[in-house]
Amino acid sequence: MKAWTREERYQPMEAVSPVTLEAMKEQVAESPYRQTFHIQPETGLLNDPNGLIYYDGEYYISHQWFPLGAVHGLKYWFNYRSRDLVHFEPHGAILKPDTEYDSHGVYSGSAFEYQGRLYYMYTGNHRDEDWSRTSSQLIAKMEDDGTLKKFPKPMVAGPPEGYTQHFRDPKVFQRGDTYYAILGAQTEDEAGRLLLYKSTDIVKWEFHGEVQTRLDAFGYMWECPDYFELDGHDVVMFCPQGIESDGERYRNIYQSGYLIGQFDIEQLELNHGDFLELDHGFDFYAPQTFTSEDGERILIGWMGLPDTAYPTDKDDWAHCLTVPRSLHIEDGKLKQRPIANLQKLRTNEETALGYANKFNRKLQPYEGKQYELIIDILENEATELYFELRASKTQSTLITYNTRTQKLTLDRSESGPLPEPVDGTTRSTVLDTPLQQLQIFVDTSSIEIFCNDGERVLTSRIFPDSEATGIKASTESGQVYLKFTKYDLEENA
Ligand code: FRU
């Protein structure tokens, strides 16, 4: 694989001719792992979803983007617009690293509306000659013609005293007439923290303070925070780095989770329950939420992780976004469901009812590389259930459910090439209630598994061969009576 020099990683895309960029795009489109219904980069690397908002009749969805290769280099924001969150129109790079404050990357941030106009607040990443970092928080306003005009000076020029330059990812929210920005930060003694800034005119931002939680020693940096009210609760999300794995918890390189509680913004006190992970799969990070046209809270995540090499790197692209999920709190628990509009992508429907037992059963006529599959467990006498997807003679992506322990496991050891470094080939979660339903979205190189109507989600990239299309069900012993509903999905990517 090509070793990238710093100069190459920080080369602006404007230095490359449009003809070359077009040729790269055509070449990337040939990759056998291209997705069909997920947002993915035209070329290069995608990471965090940014600036998500429903504004003036349309959704605006951007993502972190390094256009020139599958590495974390000079970041732009690539933007899509959408009317329904399932069909997307590309609008290219809308925020570029073209000022002294964001010269080394237009980093993550959020969108907000002020006096009827769309604004973005984001982190400008600047490096000096010694490569030491300055992080400032910047604002850009969308003009009538859809272009963005950056405010000339940073709104927040650097971190408050006692914090390092790991100070980023402002998520703006409103309480009455006051705008707040919650930011990811690191103390000088290397503890992850969340900071709040506030403003009434979006020009003067005042440091409000550090959010007080019970998580004093919980990683060295917290990034990509979010805050929102949901069904009578306050929810704070963030991505802590530096957490040791603990059994089945915190298995990925960095974590992404949430706290449910009550947030006294004036006093900066957050009374909260345990930190819980948003996703139990291999590839999920840096999610952001926003409100839909109907006022629902929607989440989109990055289906990837930092500091990890992916099998598509050699095809000069990496990563995609997750399908949008709607969020609710029911009986004190967070539920994440695929948004209802995803049903618009359904084309052909096939259903089958049948028993599965220890003889591995291939489900006919089912097979495919891109589909939505709903498995209802109608009667179950089995000890362990096995569902294999993207299966061939040599490959299979295996979901195992143990009826005694209620543990659900995703095994990608035979799913094809793996992201590296490989830290185990299984991820598990213990469900709160016995497994009744799986709703699974399979795309060319990913799987998103929603268990029991939003109780748990496991999101992962998989890289099986194109011949691996089988769908199978079996048990360890005993039989299970299942209903399968499979939908082909319209290509929208
Ligand atoms: C998370 C992150 C953010 C940062 C961005 C840079 O993946 O590290 O904290 O703003 O990526 O691309």
Side-chain angles (χ1 to χ4, degrees):
M1 198 91 62
K2 176 181 152 90
W4 287 72
T5 63
R6 184 181 284 172
E7 284 68 29
E8 286 169 328
R9 283 198 291 129
Y10 284 85
Q11 192 184 23
M13 69 182 290
E14 293 74 17
V16 175
S17 79
V19 177
T20 308
L21 286 172
E22 199 49 44
M24 280 174 65
K25 208 166 136 177
E26 281 169 24
Q27 190 219 313
V28 163
E30 298 296 309
S31 164
Y33 298 125
R34 289 301 273 177
Q35 300 275 66
T36 65
F37 62 93
H38 286 89
I39 288 181
Q40 60 194 334
E42 293 186 342
T43 60
L45 180 141
L46 163 158
N47 56 310
D48 316 359
N50 288 156
L52 310 180
I53 192 169
Y54 180 71
Y55 171 74
D56 198 21
E58 279 182 292
Y59 291 97
Y60 287 70
I61 297 174
S62 301
H63 63 74
Q64 285 283 285
W65 188 41
F66 175 60
L68 303 181
V71 288
H72 288 271
L74 184 60
K75 296 288 170 70
Y76 293 67
W77 280 29
F78 187 99
N79 180 253
Y80 289 89
R81 289 194 198 175
S82 172
R83 295 216 172 259
D84 57 8
L85 285 176
V86 291
H87 298 92
F88 306 98
E89 194 191 311
H91 278 262
I94 47 158
L95 273 177
K96 302 177 181 177
D98 54 8
T99 71
E100 73 175 283
Y101 305 107
D102 56 21
S103 56
H104 291 70
V106 176
Y107 275 9
S108 287
S110 56
F112 61 97
E113 207 176 314
Y114 176 70
Q115 297 184 343
R117 306 301 297 242
L118 172 63
Y119 291 83
Y120 291 122
M121 187 171 194
Y122 66 95
T123 300
N125 185 49
H126 171 79
R127 300 275 196 174
D128 66 14
E129 275 155 29
D130 304 324
W131 209 245
S132 78
R133 187 199 295 272
T134 309
S135 294
S136 58
Q137 314 310 324
L138 308 169
I139 286 189
K141 175 185 181 189
M142 196 175 77
E143 301 291 338
D144 287 337
D145 64 1
T147 59
L148 289 170
K149 192 157 179 217
K150 295 178 184 176
F151 287 9
K153 290 270 179 233
M155 304 299 107
V156 182
E161 229 185 280
Y163 299 88
T164 73
Q165 293 294 338
H166 286 288
F167 169 62
R168 55 181 174 261
D169 311 336
K171 178 79 193 321
V172 176
F173 61 92
Q174 212 181 331
R175 271 282 175 94
D177 290 338
T178 308
Y179 285 78
Y180 290 90
I182 187 166
L183 277 108
Q186 178 183 60
T187 62
E188 273 166 359
D189 47 14
E190 299 198 356
R193 289 291 183 267
L194 302 176
L195 303 180
L196 266 194
Y197 282 75
K198 66 177 181 184
S199 175
T200 46
D201 60 6
I202 77 158
V203 176
K204 288 186 293 304
W205 289 81
E206 174 195 326
F207 179 48
H208 186 51
E210 182 187 296
V211 179
Q212 302 301 309
T213 69
R214 289 196 279 106
L215 302 171
D216 284 340
F218 196 65
Y220 59 79
M221 170 65 191
W222 295 358
E223 40 182 32
C224 302
D226 202 337
Y227 161 76
F228 49 91
E229 289 169 76
L230 186 63
D231 301 323
H233 302 262
D234 289 317
V235 180
V236 169
M237 293 186 348
F238 60 97
C239 294
Q241 300 185 309
I243 310 289
E244 292 285 312
S245 63
D246 170 16
E248 296 298 343
R249 293 161 77 201
Y250 314 145
R251 290 295 308 280
N252 298 332
I253 180 167
Y254 304 129
Q255 320 312 324
S256 174
Y258 61 97
L259 304 169
I260 298 180
Q262 293 84 42
F263 188 24
D264 181 337
I265 295 188
E266 225 15 75
Q267 299 303 317
L268 287 148
E269 265 164 35
L270 180 65
N271 277 312
H272 59 86
D274 292 340
F275 178 86
L276 297 173
E277 288 174 89
L278 277 158
D279 197 285
H280 297 265
F282 292 90
D283 306 281
F284 181 88
Y285 198 63
Q288 193 179 91
T289 73
F290 59 107
T291 40
S292 75
E293 187 178 1
D294 308 323
E296 265 212 305
R297 181 60 50 177
I298 312 286
L299 175 147
I300 297 178
W302 169 27
M303 215 195 290
L305 284 167
D307 305 331
T308 309
Y310 279 74
T312 57
D313 293 0
K314 63 173 174 26
D315 297 342
D316 296 327
W317 71 283
H319 310 304
C320 62
L321 299 182
T322 66
V323 295
R325 309 172 180 178
S326 67
L327 304 184
H328 281 285
I329 296 180
E330 294 166 15
D331 296 329
K333 293 193 169 157
L334 184 72
K335 300 276 177 180
Q336 305 180 65
R337 300 184 176 95
I339 57 162
N341 270 3
L342 282 160
Q343 293 171 15
K344 286 192 183 187
L345 297 181
R346 292 175 178 172
T347 53
N348 187 36
E349 174 183 321
E350 296 169 277
T351 57
L353 277 166
Y355 286 96
N357 55 28
K358 67 180 179 182
F359 302 106
N360 210 337
R361 171 154 182 216
K362 183 158 189 212
L363 288 152
Q364 298 291 4
Y366 295 147
E367 57 176 356
K369 288 186 289 188
Q370 298 98 8
Y371 53 83
E372 176 187 347
L373 178 66
I374 298 176
I375 305 173
D376 290 297
I377 296 170
L378 302 179
E379 280 166 36
N380 183 23
E381 295 159 7
T383 18
E384 214 158 74
L385 310 183
Y386 306 113
F387 300 105
E388 288 179 65
L389 309 175
R390 300 300 310 271
S392 66
K393 283 215 172 76
T394 55
Q395 292 183 333
S396 130
T397 296
L398 174 66
I399 300 166
T400 303
Y401 173 67
N402 186 299
T403 52
R404 294 211 188 103
T405 58
Q406 282 178 205
K407 187 165 163 178
L408 186 121
T409 303
L410 171 66
D411 180 341
R412 67 173 179 183
S413 57
E414 293 179 2
S415 301
L418 295 173
E420 289 177 355
V422 177
D423 184 2
T425 52
T426 59
R427 292 290 182 270
S428 295
T429 177
V430 175
L431 302 181
D432 298 338
T433 54
L435 183 65
Q436 286 182 316
Q437 189 190 64
L438 294 170
Q439 183 177 11
I440 305 173
F441 290 84
V442 169
D443 204 342
T444 320
S445 55
S446 67
I447 180 164
E448 288 156 284
I449 307 168
F450 293 83
C451 312
N452 286 346
D453 190 27
E455 187 179 295
R456 287 288 194 291
V457 197
L458 294 90
T459 297
S460 294
R461 298 302 300 279
I462 49 169
F463 301 92
D465 297 343
S466 60
E467 306 82 68
T469 55
I471 301 174
K472 297 178 189 175
S474 61
T475 69
E476 185 205 9
S477 63
Q479 65 177 13
V480 58
Y481 189 51
L482 302 166
K483 178 176 179 201
F484 275 71
T485 314
K486 176 178 169 266
Y487 301 94
D488 293 332
L489 300 176
E490 181 193 318
E491 283 198 23
N492 68 355

